[in-house]
Amino acid sequence: MIPASNPQKNAAPWQRELADAVRDPGELLALVGLAPGDPAGAEAAARDFPLRVPRSYVARMRAGDPHDPLLAQVLPRGRERAGAPGYGPDPVGDRDAMMRPGVLHKYHGRVLLVTTGACAIHCRYCFRREFPYAQANPRRDQWDAALDYIASDPSIAEVILSGGDPLSLPDPALADLAARIAAIPHVDTLRLHTRLPVVVPARVDEALCAWLGATRLHAVVVLHANHANELDGDVAAACRRLRATGAMLLNQAVLLAGVNDGVAAQESLGRRLAACGVLPYYLHLLDPVRGAAHFDVAAEPARRLLAGLAGRLPGYLVPRLVREEPGRPGKTPITHGWEDGRDARPTGASSPESGGGRQTP
């Protein structure tokens, strides 16, 4: 008798970890020692946007804590189904920016390729949770139109691989795409936007580091970590492996109510990122995607938070607070108030006149 085939037998460890991800809200709650609070609401929300979270990420959650900041990012909740004014399916204008299938061209000098719809983890605030990946994402053998578009515009110096998560793709496919991009003379930078090294650090393996380290392009890896508890020793080791390829490591986070909307949480995140060799880059105000309104933090509290953070961290560890708005030529900065004369400082902070508010350009 011929034995049944096992498609996972020859898979890499990170691929097996993705295949074994938790997909049921009840199982997730049981794994962290919590009883189902609203099983019907959670199941309905998971039908709208499926739950997916790797078990190694679940292991970093605090057992028995219903307010754990990692759990809050991934647990489906019934309130996601409540409508909110201004929240819709395409909050940042991706569809209008699509020049070719999979090519988003919003900003001068750089384009974004939507390489896949797959992610290692489904964050409940994801701004692309309703993105039409089936219509917009070319198959591996159909990147010609996208690459022709890049080659035809000599102003494009940087190509950003996004998704989904580009590191959900196997390394041969990524290496091939990177080589085709590198063959375009006017492109000098390859940027990857990825959450995988944070949620599945085993993804940063020898095969990934080989092609990333070999490209002629300047490599920039932008991670997505929102809370210091996400950054354990395995993630730190993955970051060291990425840095050894010569890649620059940055982090972008989303400001989320109940997750990281306090100065202490942001300070801990910045310091932990630094220990991993990663510089904070952006702190995004929430993109108003349908189902995520309960995560919103308004601009004014966000300004106060950044003012407090700037008083506790060196400037290179303070991320830029930004909002993405459709049709703008770049991210919209949200200043912390010192620049325009308003006092958004926390009580006890030093005054701008004494030098405490001076910002290094």
CSV table of all heavy atoms in Angstrom, one decimal, residues 1-10:
chain,number,residue,atom,x,y,z
A,1,MET,N,0.8,-1.2,0.0
A,1,MET,CA,0.0,0.0,0.0
A,1,MET,C,0.9,1.2,0.0
A,1,MET,O,1.9,1.3,0.7
A,1,MET,CB,-0.9,0.0,1.2
A,1,MET,CG,-1.9,1.2,1.3
A,1,MET,SD,-3.0,1.1,2.7
A,1,MET,CE,-1.9,1.3,4.0
A,2,ILE,N,0.5,2.2,-0.9
A,2,ILE,CA,1.3,3.5,-0.9
A,2,ILE,C,0.9,4.4,0.2
A,2,ILE,O,-0.3,4.6,0.5
A,2,ILE,CB,1.0,4.2,-2.3
A,2,ILE,CG1,1.4,3.3,-3.4
A,2,ILE,CG2,1.7,5.5,-2.3
A,2,ILE,CD1,1.1,3.9,-4.8
A,3,PRO,N,1.9,4.8,1.0
A,3,PRO,CA,1.5,5.7,2.2
A,3,PRO,C,1.0,7.0,1.7
A,3,PRO,O,1.3,7.5,0.7
A,3,PRO,CB,2.9,5.8,2.9
A,3,PRO,CG,3.9,5.6,1.9
A,3,PRO,CD,3.3,4.6,0.9
A,4,ALA,N,0.1,7.5,2.6
A,4,ALA,CA,-0.5,8.8,2.2
A,4,ALA,C,0.6,9.9,2.2
A,4,ALA,O,1.5,9.9,3.1
A,4,ALA,CB,-1.6,9.2,3.3
A,5,SER,N,0.5,10.8,1.3
A,5,SER,CA,1.4,11.9,1.2
A,5,SER,C,1.3,12.9,2.4
A,5,SER,O,0.1,13.1,2.9
A,5,SER,CB,1.3,12.7,-0.1
A,5,SER,OG,0.1,13.3,-0.2
A,6,ASN,N,2.4,13.4,2.8
A,6,ASN,CA,2.3,14.4,3.9
A,6,ASN,C,3.0,15.7,3.4
A,6,ASN,O,4.2,15.8,3.3
A,6,ASN,CB,3.1,13.9,5.1
A,6,ASN,CG,3.1,14.9,6.3
A,6,ASN,OD1,2.5,16.0,6.2
A,6,ASN,ND2,3.7,14.6,7.3
A,7,PRO,N,2.2,16.7,3.0
A,7,PRO,CA,2.7,17.9,2.4
A,7,PRO,C,3.6,18.7,3.3
A,7,PRO,O,4.4,19.5,2.9
A,7,PRO,CB,1.5,18.7,2.0
A,7,PRO,CG,0.4,18.2,2.8
A,7,PRO,CD,0.7,16.8,3.0
A,8,GLN,N,3.5,18.4,4.7
A,8,GLN,CA,4.3,19.2,5.6
A,8,GLN,C,5.6,18.5,5.9
A,8,GLN,O,6.5,19.1,6.6
A,8,GLN,CB,3.5,19.3,6.9
A,8,GLN,CG,2.3,20.2,6.8
A,8,GLN,CD,2.7,21.6,6.4
A,8,GLN,OE1,3.7,22.2,6.9
A,8,GLN,NE2,1.9,22.2,5.5
A,9,LYS,N,5.8,17.3,5.4
A,9,LYS,CA,7.0,16.5,5.7
A,9,LYS,C,8.3,17.2,5.3
A,9,LYS,O,9.3,17.3,6.1
A,9,LYS,CB,7.0,15.1,5.0
A,9,LYS,CG,8.2,14.3,5.3
A,9,LYS,CD,8.1,12.9,4.6
A,9,LYS,CE,9.3,12.0,4.9
A,9,LYS,NZ,9.2,10.7,4.2
A,10,ASN,N,8.3,17.9,4.1
A,10,ASN,CA,9.5,18.6,3.7
A,10,ASN,C,9.4,20.1,3.9
A,10,ASN,O,10.3,20.8,3.3
A,10,ASN,CB,9.7,18.2,2.2
A,10,ASN,CG,10.0,16.8,2.0
A,10,ASN,OD1,10.7,16.1,2.7
A,10,ASN,ND2,9.4,16.2,0.9
